[in-house]
Amino acid sequence: MIYFIFILLMIYTVILLLRFIFTFTYYKREKERNIKEENRLSLKEVTIFQPVLSGDSYLKEKLSIIYNTVKEAELIWAVDEDDREAEKIINEITGNNPKKNLRVIKCGRAPFYENPKVYKIIQTEKLWRKYVVILDDDTAVNTEELENIDKKLLETSIITGIPYYLKAGNIWGDMVRAYVNSNSVYNYFTSAFFGGNRTINGMFYIFKSEKVISLKLYQKIRQKLCDDYEFAKIAAENGIKVYQSVIPCKLNTEIKDLRTFLKLMRRWHVFANHYIKENLDMGIFIFSIIPFISGSLFFICSLIYSYKIFLIYIGISILNFFAGKILKKRIFRENDRIKDMVLEIISGIVQILYWILALIRPSKIIWRGKSVKIKDGIIEVSFDGKEDKG
């Protein structure tokens, strides 16, 4: 037994170390990238599109950040025509006198079997400038970072950013923060180091609008549930690659209670299983699946075999947190707390439960307040038609 635990320990620590090295190397390389002045993106050429939906307490704060820093870019907010709360928030932000570079587009409610974000995007395609940023309404980016984008990359690529969750209002929001912040940098940057990016961070990405519109890419994913992955996939089929930038995008999401948290984690892992099924390669296997399996087994063995092994597991987890803390401070200019360390360790321990939840009826999830069945990523049917009150 002790030899098996020792092997797990070696595998786990070596992969964590390699993952840190590859992530740091990729970040450093991208920060030092030389862009010719004539190739830098001008905000005069950019539309920032945000689908706006009320219901999140952070909405006003995030929209205000973008509205007040957007400079010369055009800003489009697409709002459901019956969303009075969103309309009220927009009026408060603009003082009922919006800047000339803001357009507020009122949209009818999306049909149930269509993705509402994609539906709103399609309504505004004809208004876009040469380049368009798709930005979630709970997410903020520093618009000056957009001016560091190389326009040559946008000729053939979608450029996506890297997410970071800010402090939340309760323990469940903090658990989401711990899960995303402990995984996103490693997953995105390690994949990018090996040139294996096949999805985007749907909270923020930018592309050249002409080709996307002419190929009707969004039209082809109207009924797709996981729009970020499906958009990246359909774009790749048409010769448009994913390019991983180091542009930070910071967000808050309100998670009301345990039930809401578990539904979110289950849905994310259903999507993750779908992604792995279609894209499994050596990079994903070595740097995502093996550390998850070896770490989970090492933890279980530590509980069974000896408290000393458990202390080693905790020690490695603490070192891993501080290594990640160094990376995140450089990338996001944010300083994680001791509370974040505790929650990241807990998140790593219970992650196996999220995967188990995702394996139970994997084609059925709660979405837009209803139980829906999905097939090949498509919203196929509302299988019970009942409203979800959780």
Side-chain angles (χ1 to χ4, degrees), residues 115-129:
N115 185 304
K117 180 177 177 180
V118 174
Y119 179 80
K120 286 178 177 174
I121 288 172
I122 292 170
Q123 307 305 305
T124 65
E125 282 182 331
K126 293 179 180 178
L127 304 175
W128 295 348
R129 292 181 181 177

Side-chain angles (χ1 to χ4, degrees), residues 198-345:
R198 297 185 186 91
T199 190
I200 54 177
N201 161 27
M203 301 155 195
F204 162 76
Y205 58 101
I206 179 172
F207 53 83
K208 190 174 180 180
S209 57
E210 181 184 11
K211 192 169 185 180
V212 167
I213 294 172
S214 64
L215 291 169
K216 298 183 178 179
L217 297 189
Y218 280 111
Q219 295 281 358
K220 295 174 182 177
I221 64 166
R222 293 177 77 119
Q223 287 186 272
K224 295 288 188 175
L225 197 56
C226 189
D227 53 271
D228 46 3
Y229 170 55
E230 297 296 346
F231 180 70
K233 186 166 71 170
I234 197 74
E237 291 170 3
N238 287 274
I240 305 172
K241 302 175 182 177
V242 172
Y243 189 89
Q244 180 64 57
S245 78
V246 295
I247 296 174
C249 44
K250 301 179 183 181
L251 64 153
N252 303 85
T253 295
E254 190 172 39
I255 308 295
K256 295 179 181 178
D257 50 33
L258 173 61
R259 189 174 180 220
T260 307
F261 169 74
L262 290 176
K263 285 192 296 184
L264 176 66
M265 299 310 294
R266 181 180 180 278
R267 186 166 73 247
W268 280 357
H269 284 77
V270 166
F271 293 156
N273 285 342
H274 179 63
Y275 176 82
I276 290 170
K277 181 181 176 182
E278 292 193 348
N279 297 282
L280 183 61
D281 58 17
M282 287 303 293
I284 292 174
F285 183 71
I286 293 172
F287 294 106
S288 295
I289 295 177
I290 289 183
F292 166 65
I293 293 174
S294 60
S296 296
L297 287 175
F298 184 53
F299 171 73
I300 292 168
C301 289
S302 73
L303 294 181
I304 296 171
Y305 191 76
S306 168
Y307 77 93
K308 293 178 181 178
I309 305 297
F310 176 75
L311 292 178
I312 292 173
Y313 175 85
I314 295 298
I316 292 171
S317 298
I318 291 171
L319 289 174
N320 188 51
F321 168 79
F322 279 103
K325 180 181 168 77
I326 292 168
L327 282 174
K328 286 177 275 187
K329 190 166 185 179
R330 290 185 68 129
I331 299 167
F332 304 108
R333 302 291 186 265
E334 296 286 345
N335 204 7
D336 287 351
R337 309 155 293 175
I338 296 300
K339 177 183 177 181
D340 297 313
M341 179 183 74
V342 174
L343 292 177
E344 284 191 18
I345 293 172

Side-chain angles (χ1 to χ4, degrees), residues 171-188:
I171 185 64
W172 308 117
D174 280 333
M175 280 294 287
V176 171
R177 166 185 162 91
Y179 175 77
V180 174
N181 291 356
S182 62
N183 287 291
S184 66
V185 171
Y186 290 122
N187 289 342
Y188 282 110

Side-chain angles (χ1 to χ4, degrees), residues 125-177:
E125 282 182 331
K126 293 179 180 178
L127 304 175
W128 295 348
R129 292 181 181 177
K130 188 173 182 179
Y131 305 100
V132 62
V133 171
I134 306 296
L135 183 68
D136 278 358
D137 62 3
D138 60 359
T139 307
V141 294
N142 182 349
T143 53
E144 291 180 2
E145 293 274 3
L146 300 178
E147 296 175 298
N148 293 324
I149 288 176
D150 190 339
K151 289 193 289 188
K152 288 177 69 177
L153 287 173
L154 286 170
E155 292 299 317
T156 57
S157 305
I158 307 163
I159 296 179
T160 188
I162 189 75
Y164 179 88
Y165 272 75
L166 296 166
K167 296 172 186 176
N170 60 23
I171 185 64
W172 308 117
D174 280 333
M175 280 294 287
V176 171
R177 166 185 162 91

Side-chain angles (χ1 to χ4, degrees), residues 48-72:
I48 298 175
F49 168 86
Q50 292 187 281
V52 177
L53 182 66
S54 65
D56 193 304
S57 60
Y58 297 107
L59 180 63
K60 184 178 179 180
E61 174 191 340
K62 288 297 178 289
L63 291 182
S64 296
I65 290 171
I66 297 300
Y67 181 73
N68 292 319
T69 60
V70 75
K71 294 185 178 178
E72 296 173 310

Side-chain angles (χ1 to χ4, degrees), residues 25-38:
T25 301
Y26 184 81
Y27 171 74
K28 192 168 183 288
R29 188 173 71 197
E30 286 302 301
K31 287 299 286 185
E32 294 173 355
R33 175 179 289 276
N34 234 345
I35 304 172
K36 293 180 180 179
E37 194 60 38
E38 62 268 24

